[in-house]
Amino acid sequence: MADIFGYGEKDQHVVTYSLIIIVSILCLFFINLLEIVEILDGQVISLESKFISEEILTIFRTLCTILAFYTIFVLMIFNKEGGNMNPLFHNERITKNHKTMGLERMVPFSSWNLIIFGLYFSTVSVLGWFELSDVNQSKFLYLSSSMLLPMSLGMSMLTATVVTYVIIPNEVNSDREYDHLFKMHEMVMHNWVLILISVDVILSQPNLKWQLAIFGLVIGIVYITFAYFFALYGGGYYVYSFIDPRIKYGPIIMIILALAISLFYILIWLISLLLEYNFLIGVPIYVLWNYSVLLFKKPIREPQSSS
C-alpha cells in the first residue's frame, strides 16, 4: 500500500493533469453526445411523493437544508474549537497534524459532500415552496437540482464507504487519536447525508438516468483540481495523501477517484430501477446497502501486545 501511494523516481503531476485535461474534454463531448441537456430539461427530480403529501415532503427537504447549513456554518466554519487532521504537506512531503479553522474546514471531500447535499436540498425546497404557492418554477433551480442530485448520491455513498472501510480503520490501527471522527458534524457528513438523501430517493422516486453519472465525473475532476491548487497556493497540503498528483501511480489513482463517484451513482440508479420494478424488494436492498457503509459507534482500539 505504501508503494502504491508513494513517490517514484519522477513526479507524475504533469502526466496526471494532462490526463485530467483529456478526460475533461471527453466529458464535454459526452455531455453533447448523451444529450444531457435534453435529459435535464425533462423531469428528473420529483416534487411529489406517493407516500406523503407534497407539503410534508417539502418540509422534510427544508429541514435537510437547515441541517446542512447549520452544520456548515455553526458546527464547522464559526466553531471556535476548530478541527484536526493529518494532511500531507506539499513541500515537505510528510504527513503531520494540522489544526483547521473557518473556511479551511470546507477543504476536505466530505465537506464538499455536505455542501452539494445542502445545495441540492435547498434548490428542491425552494421549488417545492414555489409549487405549493403557485409561483412559476425557476428553470435555473430545476436544472441545478437535476445536476446536484446525481452528484450528491454518488458523493454521499462514496464518502460513507471510504470513511467506514478505509479512513477509520487506518486511524484505529495507527497511534493517532480518532475521537474527532465521531463528533456531531462528522456524523452528519459521513452518515446523515447518506441516510437523508436515500430517504429522499425512496419518498420522491426521481426519474434518474444512467447518463447523469457524467456529473459524478465532473465534480470529481473539479475537486481533485481544487485540491492541487489549494496545496500549491492555499493551505500547502493535501487533505488525503493519495490525491497528491506527483505520486507514482497518481494518474491512475486520480482517474479512479473521479470515476468512483459516477460508479456509485450508477449503482444507485440500478437501485432506483429496482424500486420502480418492485418497491418491496428495492427498499430492503437499498436500506441494507446503506446500513453496511454507516458507522456511528466508535471502534475500540485493541491494545498492542508487547513482545
Side-chain angles (χ1 to χ4, degrees):
M1 186 66 72
D3 183 59
I4 294 176
F5 298 137
Y7 296 98
E9 294 181 2
K10 184 178 179 182
D11 288 348
Q12 297 296 310
H13 59 288
V14 174
V15 177
T16 298
Y17 279 96
S18 296
L19 188 57
I20 291 297
I21 291 171
I22 293 172
V23 173
S24 300
I25 295 172
L26 288 175
C27 280
L28 295 175
F29 171 75
F30 280 111
I31 285 174
N32 180 62
L33 179 66
L34 299 175
E35 300 180 338
I36 299 297
V37 176
E38 286 77 4
I39 293 174
L40 294 175
D41 279 334
Q43 189 172 2
V44 176
I45 63 166
S46 174
L47 301 177
E48 301 175 346
S49 172
K50 298 178 182 177
F51 312 103
I52 58 177
S53 68
E54 189 176 337
E55 291 83 358
I56 294 177
L57 178 63
T58 303
I59 291 171
F60 163 74
R61 287 171 162 176
T62 303
L63 291 174
C64 289
T65 304
I66 294 171
L67 173 64
F69 289 105
Y70 174 82
T71 304
I72 289 171
F73 290 103
V74 178
L75 299 183
M76 299 180 72
I77 292 177
F78 296 127
N79 183 276
K80 295 182 180 180
E81 292 183 6
N84 282 288
M85 62 172 70
N86 294 284
L88 173 70
F89 282 80
H90 181 82
N91 291 330
E92 299 94 324
R93 303 194 183 200
I94 59 172
T95 299
K96 58 184 179 181
N97 186 262
H98 177 69
K99 188 175 183 64
T100 56
M101 299 291 293
L103 286 174
E104 193 179 1
R105 302 189 71 182
M106 294 297 102
V107 173
F109 182 82
S110 55
S111 298
W112 279 48
N113 172 43
L114 179 60
I115 292 169
I116 296 296
F117 168 88
L119 290 175
Y120 164 69
F121 274 109
S122 62
T123 55
V124 289
S125 296
V126 172
L127 289 172
W129 291 117
F130 280 177
E131 181 79 9
L132 291 172
S133 305
D134 293 324
V135 176
N136 290 334
Q137 297 287 4
S138 165
K139 186 173 182 180
F140 171 77
L141 288 177
Y142 194 90
L143 292 176
S144 298
S145 59
S146 297
M147 291 186 286
L148 290 165
L149 178 57
M151 290 181 188
S152 186
L153 289 172
M155 292 173 74
S156 60
M157 189 62 78
L158 174 62
T159 298
T161 302
V162 171
V163 168
T164 297
Y165 290 104
V166 179
I167 294 178
I168 291 179
N170 284 345
E171 292 301 302
V172 172
N173 292 329
S174 73
D175 58 357
R176 296 185 294 266
E177 183 53 60
Y178 55 96
D179 285 346
H180 64 280
L181 292 172
F182 294 88
K183 289 186 176 181
M184 181 59 189
H185 66 279
E186 299 281 356
M187 292 292 96
V188 173
M189 291 190 294
H190 303 157
N191 295 320
W192 285 108
V193 164
L194 175 59
I195 292 171
L196 294 172
I197 196 77
S198 298
V199 170
D200 188 72
V201 168
I202 292 171
L203 290 177
S204 66
Q205 294 185 273
N207 185 26
L208 301 179
K209 302 291 186 182
W210 67 266
Q211 294 93 329
L212 297 178
I214 193 73
F215 291 113
L217 184 57
V218 169
I219 192 64
I221 290 173
V222 170
Y223 180 75
I224 58 181
T225 303
F226 159 79
Y228 182 55
F229 281 102
F230 178 80
L232 280 180
Y233 307 112
Y237 62 81
Y238 303 95
V239 177
Y240 316 100
S241 60
F242 50 81
I243 60 174
D244 184 345
R246 301 170 298 175
I247 60 177
K248 186 176 181 179
Y249 296 103
I252 299 173
I253 293 171
M254 292 298 174
I255 295 302
I256 291 175
L257 290 174
L259 287 172
I261 303 172
S262 295
L263 174 61
F264 277 108
Y265 168 76
I266 289 291
L267 294 174
I268 295 172
W269 166 71
L270 292 173
I271 291 288
S272 74
L273 295 181
L274 184 57
L275 288 170
E276 184 179 348
Y277 174 74
N278 192 315
F279 188 79
L280 294 178
I281 295 177
V283 169
I285 292 176
Y286 199 15
V287 170
L288 285 173
W289 184 17
N290 273 254
Y291 178 78
S292 69
V293 299
L294 297 173
L295 184 61
F296 285 96
K297 185 178 180 181
K298 177 184 172 182
I300 303 300
R301 175 179 286 158
E302 296 182 2
Q304 296 181 352
S305 58
S306 57
S307 56

